[in-house]
Every structure is written in structure tokens, then in C-alpha cells.
Amino acid sequence: MSDWMVTRSPSPGRRPRALSPLREHLRDTFWFAPTAAMLSVFVVWVVAQALDTVIVDSLKEDGDYETLDELLLTAFDNTDDPRSVTSVPLVQSVLTLCMVALSLFLFVLYVNTTLRLMRISHVIARIATESFRVAASMPVPVVGEDAPRLGPPTAWVPHEGRAGVLRDVHIARLVRVARKHGVLLRLIPRIGDFVVPGTPVLAVHGGPAPPRRTLRYTVSVGVERTYHQDLGFGLRQLSDIALRALSPAINDPTTAVQALDRVVQFLASLSRRPLDAALHRDRGGAVRLVQPVPGWTELVDLGFTEVRANAVGSPQVSRRMLAGLDDLLLLAPPERREPLLRHRELLRQAVDETVPAPSDRAFALRPDRQGIG
């Protein structure tokens, strides 16, 4: 029986902001930030020049030509008469010094960040941080409520627009549309699925489909997955890192162990959370949107299957995986232990079939949270 994540809609002002194609495009480009910075500097410089002019005019009105004569030392022109000067770069000079200091600070920060990202341990830690942020942003389950009986769909809403990876759905807008038309909407693809124009993206239960115009900009697709609402994306990346580390070309089992550390940590945080689907309710408490999310078995398989298949030749990885599975078996409720026991048994069988020496088999199958010390 599937678990359900039952939720109430977040209060106004706390609903997660949906992604927009423009915002995601600007995040993925390399020209937007430098261009915006250049335009901002130009605007700030114009404002600073205007302030300098205001300062000179104020000093002239007060007749304080002595102070103005001192400020002429910072002027760009060759005038020596304080009565004929119109502006002195006072604010501009201070701003220039601040900009130089800020540029040095940003350069040091950029070099530090770049060097950190060249170290795989920091990359793995960043992936884990993003994954935990996704898990924390998911709705909190309401204890004691059962999933609604949906019944057969009464209408379908096809995907319109370009083909791509489903990266985001506008949950708040879908809930409002469903409430307004008295229906329940069920998202068919999961976040991270590739959707094709014309294929069903929403199933409607309890009435006709809402007008297409009301559902515009409720689904965002792109060329690649993002962390925004994708619960399994972090596990996918951690698994890929471990697979590359175990490839014959790289042969870096220590990196694979680091990736497994985070896989176990992430699965441990979800070991007792309801999964499989999230139910979003309107303010009246009625379920208006059913959003599929990966189930426990799918997440366990995603985190361990491919790594386990390539871990047979590395006792460091097999020992770490066994220790991680044992830890998860202690945390997971009885109904969630089957996939963990399955991976443990498959790993044991693979080691028994591949490693000829009994002592080597025993060593490879001895759980160790550090792999090999």
C-alpha cells in the first residue's frame, strides 16, 4: 500500500515561488550577472555625480568657498576658481575606493569558491545540501488522514509547449484553479520526467477540465533537471559521482565512499517520512492537487543499485555500503526494510560469485562505515 504525503496548502505569502522559464534562463546564462553589474555601476555613478553637484551648489549657497577651495584638489579639471566650479568628485572618489575594495573581495571569494568546487568532497557536500533543502521544502504530512479515493479521471489536460524535463509546477496556482472549478487535479508525470507535447500532464477528477488559459504557466520544462522540486535529483547525482569514481579509468573508491556517505544520510532523513504522493489542500481543507513523488523503494534503488553493481571489485565500497544498509535497517520501519535487505543480499551474492578466496570474501562483506579505516 502506497504511502501518502497529506498536506495543507501553505499560508499566503509562504507558498513556494514557482520557477519561470525566464528566471531559469537567466540563472543558466553567463552574461546576465556581468551585464547587470555594469548597468548598476553606471546608474550608481550617475547618482554619485548628481550628489557631488548638489554638494557644490550647497556650499556655494552657504558661501563656504574655503571648503570648496580644498575640494578643488580632487577635481578633474584645471580650474582654480571655486566660484566657477560646478562639481567635484567627492562622492565619486569615495565610491571608487569602495568599488576597488569590493572588487578585491569578490575576486578572492571567486577564487576560493572555484578552488573549493574543484575538490570533489565539496561538490558532494553541496549536492547533499541542495537535496536536504528540497526535502525540507516538501509539505509536512498531516497525521491520521487517509488519501482520498480519486476514482476514474473525468478529463485530461495535455502538455502544451516545448518538449523537455519537467522541472517545476506552480502548486499554488493549480490549487486555486482546481478550487475555483470544483475539481481535483492529479499531476501525471513526476518532477524530473521528460514530457512531450500532446501527452497528458494533468488528470482531472470530479468535473470537466478547467479552461486552458487558467492553466497557463503552471508547468515549467527545461533542458535539464533542477533541485527546485526534484526529490530524487540529488541521489541521481551522488550515484553518478560514485559510478565515475569506480570506473577503471578513475579507480577512486574513496570518492565513491564519500558519495555513499551522503546517500545514506539522505535516505536516513526520509526513512520515516510518508512518500509516493503529496496532497495539496485549499484553505477549506479539500484536496485539490495530487503530486507524485518518488517512493521509498525507488529512492533506495536509485541510491544503491548501480553503485552496488560496480562495487564488487572494491572491498572499501562494499564494506561501506553494507554498513550504510545496516544503519538504514535500524532506522526504517518494518514495512520499508525489504529493499534494504534485497540490496544487502544481492551484494553478498555478487561478492560470493566474484571473489574466489574465502578470507577476501569475509573481508569484503564486513561492514565498515569508513570502508577500510
Side-chain angles (χ1 to χ4, degrees):
M1 181 176 179
S2 298
D3 295 326
W4 289 81
M5 181 173 293
V6 186
T7 68
R8 299 193 183 277
S9 296
S11 58
R14 294 183 125 187
R15 286 174 174 167
R17 184 173 56 175
L19 295 177
S20 68
L22 176 61
R23 185 153 57 94
E24 280 300 290
H25 173 71
L26 295 180
R27 286 178 54 185
D28 294 338
T29 58
F30 294 97
W31 60 266
F32 176 72
T35 303
M38 291 177 61
L39 293 176
S40 300
V41 168
F42 176 77
V43 172
V44 170
W45 196 261
V46 171
V47 173
Q49 187 176 21
L51 289 175
D52 286 334
T53 302
V54 171
I55 292 174
V56 171
D57 293 341
S58 177
L59 290 174
K60 286 182 177 182
E61 291 177 1
D62 296 340
D64 191 358
Y65 292 102
E66 182 178 352
T67 302
L68 190 58
D69 186 56
E70 293 177 2
L71 295 179
L72 283 177
L73 297 176
T74 63
F76 299 123
D77 50 22
N78 296 324
T79 180
D80 295 330
D81 186 7
R83 300 177 185 275
S84 62
V85 71
T86 59
S87 178
V88 292
L90 179 62
V91 177
Q92 297 175 64
S93 300
V94 175
L95 185 62
T96 299
L97 294 176
C98 293
M99 287 295 183
V100 171
L102 179 62
S103 298
L104 291 175
F105 172 76
L106 291 178
F107 177 74
V108 173
L109 182 64
Y110 170 77
V111 172
N112 178 69
T113 303
T114 302
L115 293 178
R116 284 172 62 90
L117 290 178
M118 293 175 65
R119 300 174 59 183
I120 190 62
S121 57
H122 291 283
V123 175
I124 292 175
R126 183 171 181 177
I127 293 173
T129 300
E130 294 290 343
S131 300
F132 281 110
R133 184 178 293 118
V134 177
S137 66
M138 294 185 66
V140 178
V142 177
V143 181
E145 296 189 58
D146 296 328
R149 298 184 179 275
L150 299 179
T154 55
W156 303 91
V157 177
H159 173 57
E160 296 179 347
R162 60 175 181 169
V165 176
L166 180 61
R167 301 187 299 182
D168 175 82
V169 292
H170 200 312
I171 295 173
R173 182 177 296 177
L174 288 173
V175 169
R176 287 197 302 266
V177 171
R179 180 177 182 273
K180 180 178 179 181
H181 294 86
V183 297
L184 183 148
L185 299 176
R186 175 171 55 89
L187 185 67
I188 297 175
R190 279 203 319 232
I191 302 297
D193 287 354
F194 191 88
V195 294
V196 178
T199 57
V201 68
L202 287 169
V204 184
H205 297 265
R212 298 285 178 85
R213 58 180 176 80
T214 62
L215 297 174
R216 293 181 62 188
Y217 308 115
T218 57
V219 175
S220 174
V221 301
V223 296
E224 60 184 358
R225 297 167 69 174
T226 66
Y227 289 102
H228 188 59
Q229 295 179 354
D230 197 338
L231 185 63
F233 187 41
L235 283 178
R236 176 70 272 165
Q237 289 191 317
L238 292 172
S239 178
D240 288 343
I241 291 174
L243 288 175
R244 292 189 184 97
L246 292 175
S247 65
I250 299 178
N251 193 21
D252 183 10
T254 300
T255 296
V257 167
Q258 290 178 321
L260 281 175
D261 291 340
R262 299 298 185 170
V263 169
V264 173
Q265 180 189 11
F266 185 65
L267 290 175
S269 67
L270 299 176
S271 60
R272 293 183 177 272
R273 285 191 65 168
L275 298 169
D276 290 327
L279 306 184
H280 300 277
R281 300 173 180 266
D282 59 20
R283 295 176 181 175
V287 176
R288 295 299 180 183
L289 175 65
V290 177
Q291 179 186 5
V293 296
W296 171 252
T297 300
E298 295 170 292
L299 292 174
V300 171
D301 290 340
L302 178 58
F304 290 119
T305 300
E306 294 172 310
V307 182
R308 172 179 52 77
N310 291 271
V312 176
S314 175
Q316 181 179 357
V317 179
S318 63
R319 287 159 62 100
R320 177 63 185 102
M321 183 175 291
L322 287 172
L325 290 170
D326 289 347
D327 289 339
L328 291 174
L329 283 169
L330 294 175
L331 295 174
E335 64 273 12
R336 289 190 172 182
R337 292 175 182 170
E338 186 278 328
L340 301 172
L341 293 172
R342 171 166 49 85
H343 282 285
R344 201 181 194 290
E345 178 61 21
L346 289 174
L347 180 58
R348 186 194 64 78
Q349 292 178 6
V351 172
D352 286 343
E353 295 172 0
T354 306
V355 181
S359 59
D360 290 340
R361 289 198 300 268
F363 181 80
L365 294 176
R366 188 180 305 156
D368 186 344
R369 292 188 179 89
Q370 294 187 13
I372 304 179

